[in-house]
Each structure stands twice: as structure tokens, then as C-alpha cells.
Amino acid sequence: MKLGYHFTDETLLELALTHRSAGRPNNERLEFLGDALVNLVVAEMLFDSRPRANEGELSRLRAQLVSEPALAERARALQLGDALKLGSGELKSGGFRRDSILADAFEALVAAIHRDGGFAACRDWLRAIFAQPLAEVGPPQKDPKTRLQEWLQGRGLPLPHYELLAEHGEEHARSFEVVCVIEQPNAARFEGTGGSRRAAEQMAAEAALESLDDKSGAR
């Protein structure tokens, strides 16, 4: 791993990297605390670096930086996947590569650093981790569901609706399949899969937008 932080209490690091599939104790409580710490420090960084941005713009930028895929990318850069302690089922299914597990482990690691070294150490570490991503983040982009809704509304067309097709997997690794149904301009159905119903709906909306873009270049 490439943590850039030395733990005084190594048991905190071990706990942060123990997924719930491996039993108890695990990193769920640390994940809860880490989520709040990441949001706080990234919000502070955006507040300081984007003095002209309004509340909505700051919120969308933060959402980009602390999204599940973004945090998973931070975890991969730290090589957390190689050190995760997973149950046999997650090991067989490649859980060490899954965005949701990696993002949770990153948040748990943040909390472990906070518990080990205090808020100042945690804040400094996070600011170093997010310095480059924050510098590279582009103009805040609306999520696919919002963009699809606006595309249809702008043309006086009915809004899409989403239907849950199926749920799969154990409680700790659920997978949702959703379909986005668009009645006009041509009746069409677009499917999406994700670790939550909301994520699956976003994937389905993105598929719809790509199709509309291919047909009309209007996205």
C-alpha cells in the first residue's frame, strides 16, 4: 500500500481494511465516521478554492469528488484492494475490485487516521489526497437522470419512468437492475445495473442519453 501515513495503532488500519463479509469486528462504524470527514474536508477545500461558486455549484462539485467511483479511484491509487480482508464469497466474486467495497474501505481508512492521529493529521492527509482531483475537476455536471428529464422537458415530451426489474446478491453486495422507459419521441427501454436502485437508474438514464445523442446529437 502507498498510504503516506504511519499508524501508531496498527489495529486501526487492520480494522479499516476488514469488510463486513469477513465477520466482526469490521469497518462499518469507521466507514460512517469517514464519510462525514471526507465530505467536511472536501467541502472546505472547495469553499477555499472556488470563491465565486454558489452553493449549488459547490454541492455538485463535491458530489463529483466524493462519489463512489471517485473514492474507489482514490482507494486504487493507495492499493487498498490488495490489503482488504474479505469473506470467501467476496474473494471469489472479486470484491477487492468492486467500487462500493473500495470506496467504503477508503472512508474507513480516513476515520482510522482520524482516530489514530487526530483531526489535524486526518485533514492534512485528505487535503494531499484530493489536491490533484480537485484541481482537475471540471465544471459541475448534472446527473444523468436530471439531464434526461431536462432534454425531454425542453421538447415538450413526457418524462421517463423507472421500473425495478430484479435484485440480486447477498445483503452486503446487492445488485439492482432497472429499466428506464421513454414513451416519446419513440417508445424505448434502457436498462441499467448498479449497487443501489438509484445508481441503476442513473446508469439507465445514461444509456438513454447516449441513444438520444447518437440519433440527434442533442445532448
Side-chain angles (χ1 to χ4, degrees):
M1 289 186 297
K2 302 177 180 179
L3 294 186
Y5 177 84
H6 177 73
F7 276 87
T8 300
D9 183 355
E10 291 285 341
T11 62
L12 282 168
L13 174 59
E14 181 180 356
L15 183 62
L17 299 176
T18 301
H19 187 254
R20 58 178 173 267
S21 63
R24 294 181 180 276
N26 56 53
N27 64 8
E28 286 187 310
R29 281 174 53 84
L30 286 175
E31 176 197 337
F32 165 78
L33 177 59
D35 174 71
L37 289 165
V38 170
N39 275 275
L40 171 61
V41 175
V42 170
E44 180 185 55
M45 292 175 72
L46 286 168
F47 186 88
D48 291 339
S49 65
R50 301 291 200 281
R52 296 181 180 275
N54 61 35
E55 180 185 4
E57 292 169 336
L58 291 172
S59 294
R60 287 192 290 272
L61 284 168
R62 182 177 61 180
Q64 286 181 248
L65 289 165
V66 305
S67 68
E68 185 176 281
L71 294 186
E73 191 60 31
R74 305 283 78 74
R76 291 188 182 95
L78 297 171
Q79 301 178 348
L80 295 190
D82 296 336
L84 287 176
K85 184 177 180 181
L86 303 170
S88 58
E90 286 294 352
L91 281 173
K92 292 177 182 177
S93 65
F96 57 91
R97 292 189 297 266
R98 189 172 298 128
D99 279 3
S100 59
I101 290 178
L102 288 169
D104 290 348
F106 178 84
E107 291 176 337
L109 174 64
V110 170
I113 292 173
H114 176 268
R115 302 299 289 178
D116 186 71
F119 179 72
C122 177
R123 179 177 179 269
D124 289 346
W125 186 83
L126 277 171
R127 290 180 72 89
I129 292 291
F130 279 97
Q132 191 64 30
L134 187 142
E136 295 174 350
V137 70
Q141 187 178 46
K142 295 177 182 178
D143 64 82
K145 286 182 67 177
T146 300
R147 285 185 283 131
L148 177 59
Q149 178 175 312
E150 291 180 349
W151 191 95
L152 294 169
Q153 284 180 323
R155 290 155 180 79
L157 299 173
L159 296 182
H161 64 272
Y162 299 85
E163 301 172 5
L164 179 63
L165 296 178
E167 298 180 40
H168 306 285
E170 300 293 333
E171 185 63 31
H172 62 273
R174 301 293 284 171
S175 176
F176 296 79
E177 294 181 17
V178 167
V179 62
C180 170
V181 181
I182 297 177
E183 303 295 345
Q184 297 179 27
N186 297 302
R189 295 164 63 89
F190 303 92
E191 294 186 10
T193 303
S196 67
R197 180 166 180 170
R198 181 179 184 279
E201 289 177 351
Q202 297 287 7
M203 291 298 293
E206 184 65 38
L209 283 165
E210 289 176 359
S211 177
L212 292 169
D213 190 30
D214 288 342
K215 292 176 180 178
S216 66
R219 184 154 61 128

